[in-house]
Each structure stands twice: as structure tokens, then as C-alpha cells.
């Protein structure tokens, strides 16, 4: 999770919502990424999706069996669906996303009984640090002179 927090800090330094993700298999980091929604002008450029894409390219295969994904925020419905499609074994996240979390907050995509694959889930790892990053980011944005507000459901942490 320390690497995911590093990625979240990198995102925040670029004025992106500070979310980071890392894909690990057998103790080896396959990929790491941070949000690039604004930089890429792409609503799907979430840290988890970018990390999944990089990991599948690194392996040369679309399935990530035996992989663990670490994320600083509960994956949204889009990312949770991609995690299931990639057949990730386990997801570890720091804090819940009460506005759009697709793992426990608003839905249970990762372990839905009708899904063809279920992902193990662990939450709360490094929650204090991840929450502080998100809260500081949004406090700063609300205090911005131009009143700039972030524009996605994942913007509140």
C-alpha cells in the first residue's frame, strides 16, 4: 500500500484526485499508476484501470490470476467490474468511497453471488494516510480562488 500511496501523492501533485493503485503478483510489482482523468481528458483514466492495463501488458495476457491490487480508495463500479473481468484474486483498499464505491459502499461487484468470478476483499489498510491525502486535496480545491471543484463522483473521499 505504500507504493499506492506514493502514486496517490504523485496524482495530487498533478492536481489529479490523489488515488493510486498497484498490481502485485508473487511479491513482484507488475504495475503502478495514479489517476490521470484530467491529464488525459479521459473519465476512465482511474488509477486502477491504468494499473490493470499496464499489468496485462507486462504479462502479455488479459487475466491477472494470483494478482493483488492495492488501491488507496475503494474502486468504483467501473474499476470493480474491470477487476472481476481481469480475474484478479484479491483487492486491498484503504478507504471507502461513499459516493460511488462499487465494492462495499454502494454495491458489491467484487463478490456478487451471480458473478462468474469473485475477488477477495480487504479494506482499511493505510486508511489514515489515504483519507488525509484526499481530505487535504479537497480542502485545498475548495479554498482555490477560482472556486474550482473536481467533477467526478470519486472526488470526495
Amino acid at each position: 500500500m505504500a507504493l499506492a500511496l506514493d502514486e496517490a501523492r504523485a496524482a495530487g501533485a498533478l492536481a489529479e484526485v490523489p488515488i493510486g493503485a498497484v498490481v502485485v503478483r508473487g511479491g513482484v510489482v507488475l504495475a503502478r499508476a495514479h489517476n490521470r482523468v484530467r491529464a488525459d481528458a479521459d473519465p476512465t483514466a482511474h488509477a486502477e484501470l491504468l494499473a490493470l492495463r499496464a499489468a496485462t501488458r507486462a504479462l502479455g495476457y488479459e487475466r491477472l490470476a494470483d494478482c493483488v491490487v492495492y488501491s488507496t480508495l475503494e474502486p468504483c463500479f467501473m474499476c470493480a467490474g474491470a477487476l472481476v473481468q481481469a480475474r484478479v484474486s484479491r483487492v486491498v483498499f484503504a478507504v471507502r468511497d461513499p459516493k460511488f464505491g462499487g465494492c462495499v459502499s454502494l454495491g458489491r461487484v467484487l463478490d456478487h453471488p451471480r458473478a462468474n468470478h469473485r475477488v477477495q476483499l480487504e479494506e482499511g489498510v493505510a486508511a489514515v494516510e489515504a483519507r488525509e491525502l484526499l481530505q487535504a486535496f479537497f480542502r485545498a480545491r475548495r479554498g482555490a480562488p477560482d472556486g474550482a471543484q473536481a467533477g467526478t463522483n470519486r472526488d470526495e473521499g
Side-chain angles (χ1 to χ4, degrees):
M1 189 60 82
L3 294 176
L5 286 165
D6 288 345
E7 288 294 325
R9 287 183 199 95
L14 298 171
E16 296 278 355
V17 178
I19 301 169
V22 177
V23 180
V24 177
R25 184 178 191 186
V28 175
V29 174
L30 296 177
R32 50 192 289 177
H34 56 268
N35 269 17
R36 293 188 46 86
V37 171
R38 288 169 183 77
D40 294 356
D42 178 356
T44 70
H46 290 192
E48 300 92 337
L49 285 185
L50 296 174
L52 286 177
R53 290 174 187 151
T56 57
R57 281 192 304 272
L59 292 176
Y61 188 61
E62 71 275 9
R63 300 284 188 242
L64 296 173
D66 302 319
C67 288
V68 178
V69 174
Y70 296 87
S71 180
T72 58
L73 184 67
E74 176 185 0
C76 70
F77 284 91
M78 173 181 67
C79 293
L83 291 161
V84 171
Q85 291 294 330
R87 306 298 193 270
V88 167
S89 296
R90 186 168 159 238
V91 170
V92 178
F93 71 86
V95 294
R96 289 186 180 195
D97 181 354
K99 293 188 177 185
F100 208 66
C103 301
V104 291
S105 294
L106 296 181
R108 299 200 60 100
V109 174
L110 297 183
D111 62 357
H112 194 280
R114 293 183 60 197
N116 63 343
H117 175 74
R118 290 189 186 86
V119 179
Q120 294 176 9
L121 182 64
E122 181 179 352
E123 68 173 289
V125 176
V128 171
E129 297 93 334
R131 184 174 291 107
E132 287 173 355
L133 280 172
L134 287 162
Q135 289 173 341
F137 177 81
F138 288 108
R139 267 194 304 273
R141 290 201 43 103
R142 286 185 195 103
D146 64 0
Q149 288 285 334
T152 69
N153 287 334
R154 290 172 53 96
D155 288 340
E156 295 293 332

